[in-house]
Amino acid sequence: MVNYIDAATAPMKNTGAIRLYGDDAFEGMRRACQLTARCLDALAPMVQPGVTTNAIDRFVFEFGMDNGALPATLNYRGYTKSTCTSINHVVCHGIPDDKPLRDGDIVNIDVTYILDGWHGDASRMYPVGEVKRAGIRLLEVTYESLMRGIAAVRPGARTGAIGEAIQTFAEAERCSVVRDFCGHGVGQLFHDTPNILHYGRANEGPEIREGMIFTIEPMINLGRPHVKVLSDGWTAVTRDRSLTAQYEHTVGVTATGCEIFTLSPAGLDRPGLT
């Protein structure tokens, strides 16, 4: 049985209950999430052939410091970077390094800032130079999958409706949905209940209620859905080496639907795509 709790009185740990947030929390999340969105906007002209993912990571750290925020991934469970940079067949949790981006790459940049105790979590795909049509199509399908999942959010629906909307669209486009990773509750905790699956059926999962805050972050593959985690314990890749993509927004459930906290203020939610 799913329990729902008032976030204002809940302990600062994941208890398995779903937190319901009030107006003050929504305002705190707007500020944190908009800082993250502004960082992702600022990265758009930087993502070019020859730029290293370590340079991107340094930018994310410095942008946060300049705005009074801490990157949530830095020293999280031993992770030593301020962002995740996942290139081509890397599904998620790619570790920045000194290898330069190459013309034709596609890269996901995932940023979470902690601002005044609130976590702003989002990621976008960036095409690097001239990307082949298959890669551009994957970005288009993945972004549309995310937005269809978001459109399914409303009080009274179940979280399975989000997964069904994503899976139905992605598979109709001859792509596959990664099952090994999911969206999650977020707020004053980085990862909280509930898990938001990107596949499933509309009548499955917890009921969506006003005041919930969570991420939706589908990972869509051109090939099969299977992934493996490399020996570094973080980097997840497609087993068949097929291209993969991910877009992520943080949303808060309202009385009639949801508010997307991490929308780009510059209209760059799909950088490099028209």
Side-chain angles (χ1 to χ4, degrees), residues 49-50 101-105 128-131:
L101 295 171
R102 299 177 302 174
D103 188 67
D105 285 342
V128 182
E130 294 295 324
V131 175

Side-chain angles (χ1 to χ4, degrees), residues 110-256:
D110 192 339
V111 175
T112 304
Y113 282 129
I114 307 171
L115 181 65
D116 299 327
W118 299 99
H119 291 73
D121 191 359
S123 78
R124 298 180 198 164
M125 295 299 302
Y126 297 78
V128 182
E130 294 295 324
V131 175
K132 292 181 179 178
R133 177 57 195 162
I136 295 299
R137 175 178 170 272
L138 176 63
L139 301 191
E140 292 169 342
V141 169
T142 305
Y143 183 79
E144 181 64 19
S145 295
L146 168 64
M147 298 312 292
R148 289 185 181 224
I150 290 173
V153 177
R154 65 181 187 280
R158 295 192 174 275
T159 58
I162 301 169
E164 181 178 272
I166 292 168
Q167 182 182 10
T168 299
F169 177 73
E171 292 181 353
E173 294 294 323
R174 302 183 301 282
C175 295
S176 64
V177 180
V178 171
R179 266 72 164 171
D180 299 66
F181 302 96
C182 60
H184 52 86
V186 68
Q188 289 178 301
L189 298 179
F190 192 2
H191 296 99
D192 202 1
T193 306
N195 289 336
I196 304 297
L197 304 183
H198 303 121
Y199 62 94
R201 298 181 180 179
N203 61 353
E204 297 174 338
E207 179 185 348
I208 298 172
R209 296 189 182 179
E210 184 178 359
M212 291 171 62
I213 300 175
F214 50 81
T215 71
I216 304 176
E217 46 187 296
M219 288 143 273
I220 307 298
N221 298 347
L222 276 183
R224 297 177 64 81
H226 311 299
V227 309
K228 64 178 178 180
V229 177
L230 301 185
S231 58
D232 60 29
W234 288 102
T235 308
V237 301
T238 54
R239 283 189 174 272
D240 60 7
R241 306 280 292 187
S242 62
L243 282 179
T244 183
Q246 177 189 24
Y247 289 88
E248 174 185 12
H249 274 312
T250 294
V251 304
V253 182
T254 65
T256 57

